[in-house]
Amino acid sequence: MTRLPAKTLSSLSSRLLAPALAVLLSACSVVDRAPAPKLEAGARWVVLPFANATETPFAGQRAEAISEGLLRTLGVADVQRYPAQLASDNLFENGAPKDADKALDWARGQNARYAVTGTVDEWRYKVGVDGEPAVGVALSVVEVPSGRVVWSGVGAKSGWSRDALSAVAQKLIKSLLEPAVQR
């Protein structure tokens, strides 16, 4: 039997381990998005209300806040969030926000070029021993003057038991938005 030198064995194992580890880690998320059109980061953007299709109170508002912050970090300097006092106060809003047309009219009044909106369909810690965080969102970018959806993406991601739910959400939303925002 031929024995391989330790250095060769170490090199071989690292070349085999890295792809296996990448597959294992990527198995925790699914992301599908339309090809990103040229959306101007320098334009005025707004974040409109997100629908909360979960049993978690305020999941939509949490996703809105993360999206607003991420837009800023991705280079959008002029971003504004739909005023809370204009949003409906329904704690367990399910489905699309009832005031979607009102929100789009508000965005037009702000002379916004693009609006980010979406639906949160999962926002929880899974039941079980480990209690992994799990997030699912569908995002859309609307061209405000026309009201036409110019980009959309959907994704779901789960984390490890020690991950924060908000951290998993931030990673997912960033992976969706990043290609759509051109610097």
Side-chain angles (χ1 to χ4, degrees), residues 46-66:
V46 295
V47 177
L48 298 182
F50 282 37
N52 181 7
T54 74
E55 295 177 0
T56 305
F58 303 114
Q61 289 95 328
R62 293 172 185 173
E64 291 166 24
I66 290 170

Side-chain angles (χ1 to χ4, degrees), residues 1 4 51 84 90:
M1 182 163 118
L4 294 173
N90 189 352

Side-chain angles (χ1 to χ4, degrees), residues 44 104-112 144:
R44 175 169 285 174
L104 194 54
D105 287 340
W106 171 84
R108 287 184 182 115
Q110 303 302 307
N111 294 319
V144 173

